[in-house]
Amino acid sequence: MTRWVLRAVMALGLFFIYVPLLLVLVNSFNGDRTFGWPPHDFTTQWWSAAWRNGGARDALWTSVKAGLGATAIALVLGTMVAFAVQRFQFFGRDTVSLLVVLPIALPGIVTGIALDSAWRSVIAPLGIGKGLFSVIVGHATFCVVTVYNNVLARLRRSGVNLEEASADLGASPFQTFRYITFPMLRSALLAGGLLAFALSFDEIIVTTFTAGPGIQTLPIWIFNNLFRPNQAPVVNVVAAVLIVLSVLPVWLAQRLAGPEAGASRT
């Protein structure tokens, strides 16, 4: 009886989460140009219209570039901090972990205002205006956390026995990192990078405060066009694309971050 109750609760939760997303996907093929239900006159013409929309294509490309840039920064900084915290007890493990994780717990609007203030006070006087780089830096502030958590969790789960044994056998630090540590972290890094990219790709609030004139990511394009009646079908298509491009990296990251993935690659 308990098992059936738990299954019913799980089904209800999945229904609550995924039905709205499925409605967006279905409405992207809705031929009557509305959000009405049930849809009829299914067509793919709005997918063609979305592809011909130069603003949507530019926004997609901007989101991809911002996501890749933020992910690159996050992979470097997140890995360095996690490795230092684990191996050298850098400034006290718990203190540093709190400082690194704290920004992701803050409301996006607070982080956006803080970044905007910092840019105006420190960077703008140097003659550097906002643009794609400022968006990348803004996204990296919370992407670093995902990489840090992934790498630190893998390091703590694996321990340092293999590294110590390698050192006892006379291996250099570089050899230990290349043949022991890096293979152990490979899947954690890839999973963290995928999660960081998905977070950056979906972000809108921090982007609003850090983007310069003419910078428009895909979520911002959707928001700006959501209430324009003539754009409703195209918005449905772009939103459907955003769902797919967001869910796929998260699903892959979840597969890579599991304990089995680490065991099979170390």
Side-chain angles (χ1 to χ4, degrees):
M1 181 65 180
T2 304
R3 180 180 298 179
W4 284 105
V5 171
L6 291 176
R7 287 180 177 178
V9 171
M10 184 179 67
L12 181 62
L14 293 175
F15 179 87
F16 179 78
I17 294 171
Y18 285 101
V19 164
L21 300 178
L22 291 174
L23 288 177
V24 173
L25 293 172
V26 172
N27 278 326
S28 66
F29 298 96
N30 193 351
D32 63 4
R33 300 171 62 88
T34 70
F35 292 93
W37 188 263
H40 51 82
D41 189 21
F42 279 78
T43 178
T44 59
Q45 63 174 312
W46 304 122
W47 286 79
S48 300
W51 177 251
R52 293 194 301 268
N53 190 302
R57 288 205 313 271
D58 291 342
L60 173 62
W61 180 229
T62 300
S63 288
V64 170
K65 290 188 291 186
L68 292 176
T71 300
I73 295 174
L75 283 171
V76 174
L77 292 181
T79 303
M80 290 174 62
V81 175
F83 191 76
V85 167
Q86 174 67 10
R87 295 301 304 273
F88 307 113
Q89 301 295 307
F90 192 62
F91 293 154
R93 176 185 296 176
D94 294 335
T95 301
V96 174
S97 293
L98 174 64
L99 293 175
V100 173
V101 174
L102 182 60
I104 204 171
L106 296 174
I109 192 169
V110 173
T111 303
I113 292 173
L115 290 170
D116 179 62
S117 300
W119 195 275
R120 291 174 183 272
S121 303
V122 180
I123 307 298
L126 301 177
I128 303 176
K130 291 181 180 179
L132 180 62
F133 179 71
S134 59
V135 173
I136 291 174
V137 171
H139 288 191
T141 58
F142 50 83
C143 288
V144 165
V145 180
T146 64
V147 176
Y148 169 82
N149 284 336
N150 263 40
V151 173
L152 190 60
R154 181 58 53 82
L155 285 171
R156 287 178 173 175
R157 192 161 62 227
S158 301
V160 294
N161 293 335
L162 290 176
E163 289 91 335
E164 292 176 349
S166 176
D168 291 341
L169 292 174
S172 67
F174 175 75
Q175 290 174 321
T176 300
F177 177 81
R178 179 180 179 183
Y179 295 110
I180 302 296
T181 308
F182 181 72
M184 178 178 64
L185 294 178
R186 190 161 46 201
S187 61
L189 286 170
L190 183 54
L194 287 167
L195 287 172
F197 180 83
L199 283 173
S200 174
F201 198 81
D202 295 340
E203 213 288 321
I204 182 171
I205 300 177
V206 172
T207 309
T208 303
F209 286 92
T210 57
I215 298 296
Q216 188 171 225
T217 61
L218 205 57
I220 290 180
W221 185 91
I222 292 174
F223 184 81
N224 290 340
N225 290 274
L226 182 61
F227 302 106
R228 297 180 181 178
N230 61 323
Q231 288 282 57
V234 178
V235 167
N236 283 338
V237 173
V238 176
V241 171
L242 189 62
I243 290 172
V244 174
L245 293 180
S246 301
V247 170
L248 186 59
V250 174
W251 179 79
L252 289 173
Q254 191 273 336
R255 300 277 295 179
L256 289 166
E260 312 82 25
S264 64
R265 291 169 170 79
T266 57

